[in-house]
C-alpha cells in the first residue's frame, strides 16, 4: 500500500533535512523579563550550536550532497549577520522561525504579526529576497497565524496532518513529525529543566531508520528536524550520518528542501487534493 501522492520524475518518496537554528533565542525569550540573569549553563550549551555544532552538520550534509532547510529566528540572524548568507551560499534554504522564538502561547495575534513582519524585513535586508517558508517555534499554530502566513504567500512547516505536502487554510503545509525531531530524545539542558535522561543513540537510530524505510515504502516524505546544539554532539552525528547513508542507499528518493517541495506541490496535480479548512471545531462546553 502506497500513498497516492505524486512526486516529480516518478520518484518514490522524498527526504527533507531541516534544522531549527534556535541557538540562544529560546533562552533569551524565556528570560526576557529577568533584569539580571545569573546562570550560564543553559546559555553555553546553546552557544555550542553556532560555535561548533552547525558547522559540523553542514560539513556532513556536504559529504552527502544534501541541501537542507534551515529555520532561523530573526534575533539569531540579527546577532549573526553572516549566517543567512552563509547558509544560502552553501546551497541551503533559509526560512522564518519567529523573531525572538516567541512561543505561540506567550503572544497575542498582534504580537505574532509584528514578529513576522519584523522577521521578513530582516531576512529581506540580509539576503536581498523574500523567504519562502515559515516554521513556528515549538510547532504550534493558530488560525490567525495561518492567515498571516497565507498573506505573505509562504508555505508553513509546523503541522503534522499528513506525511506528504498538503494544504490547510489556503497554506501549503510541508509537514513535520515529533518522532523524527531530535529534541524529544536528546534535549537535556540540566538544572531541573528536563525530567528524563537523553535516549541512547541506538534507540533513536532505530526509530529514525524504521520511519525512513517505512515512509519510503509508502511513498511519503521524511521531514527530519534537528537543532544546531542538539544533534551536533559527537555520538548524535554518528546517528545522523548512518541515517543519511541509508537514505543515500534507497532508490528513487527525491532529496529536496521544503521550498522545493512547496513549489512542486503548488505546481503539480497534487495541488487540488489534500485541501482542508483551518477552522477549529466548537469547544465541548458540557458533558452530559
Ligand atoms: Zn525552535
Amino acid at each position: 500500500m502506497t500513498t497516492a501522492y505524486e512526486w516529480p520524475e516518478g520518484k518514490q518518496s522524498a527526504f527533507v533535512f531541516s534544522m531549527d537554528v534556535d541557538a540562544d533565542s529560546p533562552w533569551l525569550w524565556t528570560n526576557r523579563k529577568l533584569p539580571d540573569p545569573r546562570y550560564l549553563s543553559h546559555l553555553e550549551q546553546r552557544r555550542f550550536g553556532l560555535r561548533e555544532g552547525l558547522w559540523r552538520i553542514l560539513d556532513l550534509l556536504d559529504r552527502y550532497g544534501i541541501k537542507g532547510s534551515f529555520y532561523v529566528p530573526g534575533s539569531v540572524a540579527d546577532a549573526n549577520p553572516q549566517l543567512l548568507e552563509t547558509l544560502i551560499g552553501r546551497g541551503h534554504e533559509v526560512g522564518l522561525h519567529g523573531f525572538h522564538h516567541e512561543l505561540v502561547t506567550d503572544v497575542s495575534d498582534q504580537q505574532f504579526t509584528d514578529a513576522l513582519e519584523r522577521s521578513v524585513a530582516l531576512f529581506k535586508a540580509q539576503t536581498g529576497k523574500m523567504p519562502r517558508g515559515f516554521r513556528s517555534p515549538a510547532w504550534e499554530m493558530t488560525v490567525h497565524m495561518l492567515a498571516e502566513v497565507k498573506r505573505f504567500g509562504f508555505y508553513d512547516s509546523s503541522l503534522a496532518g499528513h506525511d506528504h505536502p498538503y494544504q490547510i487554510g489556503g497554506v501549503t503545509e510541508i509537514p513535520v513529525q515529533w518522532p523524527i525531531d531530535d529534541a524529544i530524545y536528546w534535549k537535556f539542558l540540566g538544572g531541573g529543566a528536563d525530567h528524563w535522561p537523553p535516549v541512547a543513540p541506538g534507540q533513536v537510530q532505530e526509530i529514525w531508520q524504521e520511519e525512513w524505510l517505512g515512509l519510503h515504502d509508502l511513498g511519503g516524505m521524511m521531514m527530519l528536524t534537528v537543532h544546531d546544539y542538539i544533534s551536533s554532539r559527537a555520538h548524535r552525528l554518528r546517528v545522523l550520518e548512518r541515517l543519511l547513508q541509508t537514505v543515500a542507499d534507497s532508490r528513487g528518493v527525491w532529496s529536496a528542501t521544503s521550498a522545493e517541495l512547496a513549489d512542486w506541490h503548488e505546481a503539480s496535480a497534487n495541488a487540488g487534493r489534500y485541501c482542508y479548512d483551518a477552522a477549529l471545531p466548537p469547544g465541548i462546553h458540557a458533558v452530559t
Side-chain angles (χ1 to χ4, degrees):
M1 180 72 186
T2 57
T3 68
Y5 196 85
E6 291 178 29
W7 298 109
E9 297 166 11
K11 297 283 189 187
Q12 179 177 327
S13 63
F15 176 81
V16 185
F17 175 92
S18 74
M19 179 188 285
D20 294 355
V21 192
D22 288 357
D24 58 3
S25 61
W27 186 95
L28 293 166
W29 177 253
T30 303
N31 291 288
R32 66 194 182 283
K33 291 176 181 164
L34 276 183
D36 186 21
R38 296 175 62 201
Y39 304 117
L40 276 166
S41 155
H42 287 195
L43 194 54
E44 281 292 286
Q45 290 178 72
R46 290 181 169 284
R47 284 172 168 165
F48 172 83
L50 290 196
R51 286 179 189 154
E52 297 272 5
L54 171 68
W55 313 103
R56 291 179 183 173
I57 290 177
L58 288 176
D59 288 345
L60 177 63
L61 294 178
D62 281 353
R63 287 208 296 284
Y64 282 86
I66 291 177
K67 308 302 184 197
S69 296
F70 290 72
Y71 299 95
V72 185
S75 64
V76 174
D78 199 28
N80 301 274
Q82 304 304 314
L83 179 59
L84 298 184
E85 281 202 63
T86 300
L87 290 168
I88 292 169
R90 291 180 74 150
H92 303 293
E93 175 199 1
V94 294
L96 303 160
H97 195 45
F99 194 89
H100 288 294
H101 203 272
E102 306 87 350
L103 296 182
V104 178
T105 47
D106 290 346
V107 297
S108 67
D109 287 352
Q110 187 58 52
Q111 286 171 315
F112 170 77
T113 295
D114 293 346
L116 183 66
E117 290 179 349
R118 191 177 173 195
S119 301
V120 170
L122 180 73
F123 270 54
K124 273 177 70 179
Q126 288 195 347
T127 69
K129 59 182 181 183
M130 287 286 280
R132 178 73 175 85
F134 171 81
R135 174 172 284 173
S136 169
W139 292 357
E140 188 54 274
M141 288 296 285
T142 65
V143 173
H144 171 78
M145 291 167 73
L146 273 178
E148 290 294 81
V149 168
K150 183 181 177 186
R151 177 165 68 92
F152 280 101
F154 298 146
Y155 72 80
D156 176 59
S157 181
S158 314
L159 298 172
H162 270 289
D163 46 25
H164 55 69
Y166 66 103
Q167 189 194 84
I168 179 165
V171 173
T172 299
E173 180 66 39
I174 309 299
V176 295
Q177 248 209 79
W178 283 113
I180 40 179
D181 177 298
D182 63 353
I184 67 166
Y185 306 109
W186 289 332
K187 180 172 171 288
F188 186 88
L189 293 167
D194 308 282
H195 303 288
W196 57 84
V199 174
Q203 202 176 335
V204 178
Q205 176 79 50
E206 188 178 353
I207 296 168
W208 287 1
Q209 177 114 349
E210 288 300 308
E211 183 65 13
W212 164 250
L213 293 174
L215 283 170
H216 180 58
D217 277 350
L218 287 166
M221 58 163 275
M222 182 164 186
M223 171 66 76
L224 181 70
T225 301
V226 305
H227 293 75
D228 50 298
Y229 69 98
I230 298 178
S231 280
S232 49
R233 293 292 179 175
H235 65 285
R236 299 168 186 170
L237 273 179
R238 291 165 61 84
V239 171
L240 203 49
E241 177 148 20
R242 284 195 289 271
L243 177 68
L244 297 185
Q245 186 61 55
T246 305
V247 173
D249 291 340
S250 305
R251 298 173 73 92
V253 182
W254 186 33
S255 177
T257 63
S258 302
E260 289 171 323
L261 261 67
D263 288 345
W264 162 253
H265 182 80
E266 291 169 11
S268 69
N270 300 293
R273 308 169 191 155
Y274 319 109
C275 299
Y276 306 95
D277 196 271
L280 290 156
I284 300 170
H285 300 292
V287 177
T288 55

